[in-house]
Amino acid sequence: PDNCSIMRIQRLEFNMFPVNSYIVWDDKTGESAIIDAGCYYPKEQETLLQFIQENKLQVKYLLATHLHLDHNFGNPFTARTFHVPLEAAREDEFLLANMPEQANMFGISLPESPIPIGKYIKEGDTFMLGNESLNALHVPGHSPGSMVFYAPDSGFVISGDTLFMSSIGRADLPGGNYEQLVKAINDKIMTLPSDTVVYPGHGPETNVYREKKYNPYMQ
């Protein structure tokens, strides 16, 4: 039918940690969300801008799965360019303050000072793109405020650094908790339909069925 819209997704790999940044959009209206703006270098910022312009997308949301520096280098540029606030969980706010410290640890400098959270995301929040929704699920353990974004109609979840193909996120960073992470993945992601595609913060995509069956951390 004519009113049937499709949620589209584009993965862009950015920066020295290679992070998966995602652009998710509704085909019909062009309404889009940028999730984990990892663009560090000017060339990467150009790539992001060019994609938005060429596909005539209207950026409605800048969402962060969590606030570790590698997923957030591009927030100042993205917020400024598309006039959208950064949306992230309050529980991760402390990570913004120590972002320069995180950068020093890796011997790099931030492209710009971090921007504050403009709107807090909590479990159950819904982000509408056309007629389709992205639903926020709180999956703590990699960071206290880690969020994943689930598109029920299109059958995918953007998992940030909670779940990867055959692996899970680190739990040894400030505010991390291994038991909490495994439990939250089991409760929130493994209960999604088994054909749900999982788009992680690093590495290739997978699906819920595969991770239930083969992920050593999920056994």
Side-chain angles (χ1 to χ4, degrees):
D2 279 351
N3 63 355
C4 181
S5 55
I6 310 169
M7 191 96 92
R8 303 276 305 274
I9 185 162
Q10 174 71 29
R11 175 176 77 107
L12 298 170
E13 206 179 65
F14 288 142
N15 75 51
M16 62 291 285
F17 295 94
V19 157
N20 294 332
S21 295
Y22 293 101
I23 303 165
V24 178
W25 73 98
D26 167 69
D27 227 12
K28 199 154 190 249
T29 60
E31 291 182 341
S32 67
I34 294 171
I35 301 173
D36 288 358
C39 40
Y40 181 90
Y41 303 103
K43 191 125 196 66
E44 294 177 336
Q45 297 177 353
E46 270 169 51
T47 301
L48 179 67
L49 179 58
Q50 197 176 350
F51 187 90
I52 297 292
Q53 287 174 338
E54 282 175 4
N55 291 278
K56 301 185 171 52
L57 303 183
Q58 172 210 338
V59 179
K60 265 181 90 174
Y61 308 108
L62 167 58
L63 308 177
T65 57
H66 64 298
L67 292 178
H68 289 148
L69 84 168
D70 50 334
H71 293 256
N72 294 276
F73 289 134
N75 289 343
F77 168 79
T78 307
R80 184 171 65 237
T81 306
F82 303 111
H83 311 290
V84 285
L86 169 62
E87 302 190 46
R90 189 189 288 269
E91 296 91 332
D92 267 11
E93 202 160 30
F94 75 101
L95 291 166
L96 283 175
N98 77 9
M99 230 177 248
E101 214 176 299
Q102 292 176 53
N104 284 340
M105 251 171 53
F106 291 106
I108 57 172
S109 56
L110 296 173
E112 291 183 67
S113 296
I115 56 169
I117 299 174
K119 280 186 186 167
Y120 293 115
I121 300 176
K122 55 188 189 315
E123 167 95 24
D125 282 354
T126 296
F127 303 93
M128 295 305 297
L129 299 172
N131 295 318
E132 286 220 57
S133 62
L134 270 182
N135 303 335
L137 306 173
H138 184 212
V139 184
H142 173 66
S143 73
S146 282
M147 290 286 174
V148 306
F149 300 102
Y150 174 48
D153 297 340
S154 293
F156 68 78
V157 64
I158 293 175
S159 65
D161 284 0
T162 60
L163 178 65
F164 304 113
M165 184 185 276
S166 300
S167 188
I168 62 172
R170 295 174 60 169
D172 60 345
L173 298 167
N177 181 313
Y178 177 80
E179 286 75 19
Q180 187 185 41
L181 178 60
V182 172
K183 183 181 183 331
I185 293 170
N186 271 311
D187 292 352
K188 303 285 176 69
I189 304 179
M190 291 299 137
T191 50
L192 299 175
S194 61
D195 59 353
T196 303
V197 179
V198 177
Y199 291 103
H202 304 268
E205 67 204 57
T206 179
N207 63 56
V208 167
Y209 172 80
R210 188 192 181 284
E211 296 317 304
K212 264 186 184 158
K213 201 164 161 55
Y214 300 113
N215 191 315
Y217 298 93
M218 292 294 109
Q219 303 311 317

